[in-house]
Amino acid sequence: MKYKKNYPQTKGEINMCVLAVMKEMTDDYENFNSVRRQLATTMIYFVDINMLQHRSDEMKATAEMLLLKNCLGASRVEDLINDFSNEADFIENNFDEITSENIDSELLFRLLIRTLRATVNLFNEVLDTFNNSQQTNQ
């Protein structure tokens, strides 16, 4: 599959918007569409219960993008990949202290880690496709 469209720039962003790539991937891959919606729902849940309050803006922006309601530039997506990877690493490295061996906390934080890692993987796939399309257009 080739993505040969020229993608619009977002307001104030140097990098191109990756939303069009996500929409095309959603049309082309049913599994991508399902994963995208599940991640969006889970992100919204974590925002609603105030998990990672210091990342709530990033999580809201991610959920909106996953729901195809808002566009983020490639550089912003790269930042989110780094931020979410760092958060997941921190939680994993401090898991016992964070959860205090409470089974409910353990389950919730394991779900959060998996959600962050899955979002990172999905965004990496989107950026790979986006970058391939940019090289094809040159």
Side-chain angles (χ1 to χ4, degrees), residues 8 20 36 45 48 114 138:
R36 175 188 63 78
Y45 170 73
D48 287 348
R114 288 181 179 164
Q138 291 179 355

Side-chain angles (χ1 to χ4, degrees), residues 3-91:
Y3 296 95
K4 295 188 176 183
K5 295 181 181 176
N6 289 318
Y7 299 106
Q9 290 229 318
T10 58
K11 298 176 192 171
E13 292 230 30
I14 296 170
N15 285 304
M16 306 286 244
C17 171
V18 297
L19 184 62
V21 171
M22 283 188 66
K23 287 181 179 179
E24 286 186 28
M25 291 174 78
T26 295
D27 292 341
D28 292 341
Y29 302 109
E30 182 58 35
N31 186 48
F32 179 86
N33 193 33
S34 175
V35 169
R36 175 188 63 78
R37 285 184 284 174
Q38 289 172 344
L39 288 173
T41 302
T42 308
M43 279 286 175
I44 292 167
Y45 170 73
F46 285 126
V47 169
D48 287 348
I49 65 170
N50 294 317
M51 291 285 289
L52 298 182
Q53 290 179 347
H54 62 286
R55 293 274 182 227
S56 65
D57 290 340
E58 291 94 334
M59 293 171 76
K60 287 176 188 175
T62 297
E64 287 183 5
M65 176 136 165
L66 292 169
L67 292 171
L68 308 177
K69 293 182 178 180
N70 191 18
C71 187
L72 298 175
S75 64
R76 183 66 182 123
V77 172
E78 288 174 353
D79 291 342
L80 290 171
I81 288 169
N82 291 330
D83 292 344
F84 291 161
S85 291
N86 291 337
E87 287 295 338
D89 290 343
F90 177 81
I91 294 167

Side-chain angles (χ1 to χ4, degrees), residues 87-123:
E87 287 295 338
D89 290 343
F90 177 81
I91 294 167
E92 283 179 339
N93 293 335
N94 298 287
F95 193 78
D96 292 336
E97 293 85 20
I98 293 171
T99 61
S100 303
E101 297 184 17
N102 176 308
I103 190 68
D104 292 334
S105 293
E106 287 181 12
L107 292 172
L108 194 59
F109 277 99
R110 286 186 199 284
L111 178 60
L112 177 60
I113 291 167
R114 288 181 179 164
T115 300
L116 294 172
R117 296 262 188 243
T119 302
V120 165
N121 291 337
L122 183 129
F123 278 172

